Amino acid sequence: MRDIMGMMGKVKEMQAKMEKMQAEIADIRAEGKAGGGLVTVTVNGKSQMLAIKIDPSLFKEDDVEILEDLIVAANKDAQEKAEALAAEKTRELTAGLPIPPGFKLPF
């Protein structure tokens, strides 16, 4: 019975750590760039685009398709960086736990 109480305490402790980690991941900011820095996108740890900066030299009518492609590329770059930072935070929290490789925690 004592083991069950100890295990329940550890579960509650892990739950509190997970909630804290989720808040920290939401606060992550990652910046992606495309076109040599002509387009910059900032996303949070939940892959939500927060900001976009476009170099004024790209505002030409005949360059619209290029600009659209650069925005998509910068957003992808930022999301990959945010996911990598979130994965690192998750690894830090779950270090030593027997979690199968590639298992994604629900958040």
Side-chain angles (χ1 to χ4, degrees):
M1 191 64 149
R2 187 173 199 187
D3 288 343
I4 292 174
M5 295 303 285
M7 188 168 44
M8 291 301 290
K10 288 188 185 267
V11 168
K12 285 187 180 194
E13 182 182 323
M14 178 60 92
Q15 184 178 13
K17 286 182 179 180
M18 287 294 292
E19 288 172 4
K20 181 180 177 199
M21 183 186 65
Q22 288 175 348
E24 288 175 2
I25 287 173
D27 288 339
I28 288 174
R29 299 293 181 265
E31 195 174 87
K33 296 181 185 245
L38 293 174
V39 176
T40 302
V41 171
T42 303
V43 298
N44 66 13
K46 293 185 175 187
S47 296
Q48 297 168 326
M49 188 186 308
L50 303 174
I52 184 168
K53 294 179 186 173
I54 303 170
D55 188 283
S57 68
L58 292 173
F59 291 108
K60 298 176 187 166
E61 278 188 47
D62 54 340
D63 291 340
V64 172
E65 283 186 42
I66 294 171
L67 179 57
E68 292 169 344
D69 291 342
L70 289 174
I71 291 169
V72 170
N75 187 50
K76 182 177 183 285
D77 183 42
Q79 286 181 346
E80 288 171 354
K81 289 176 181 176
E83 288 173 9
L85 290 168
E88 180 60 34
K89 285 201 172 289
T90 302
R91 276 193 297 277
E92 290 171 9
L93 177 69
T94 59
L97 292 178
I99 297 176
F103 181 79
K104 292 193 175 204
L105 295 172
F107 48 79

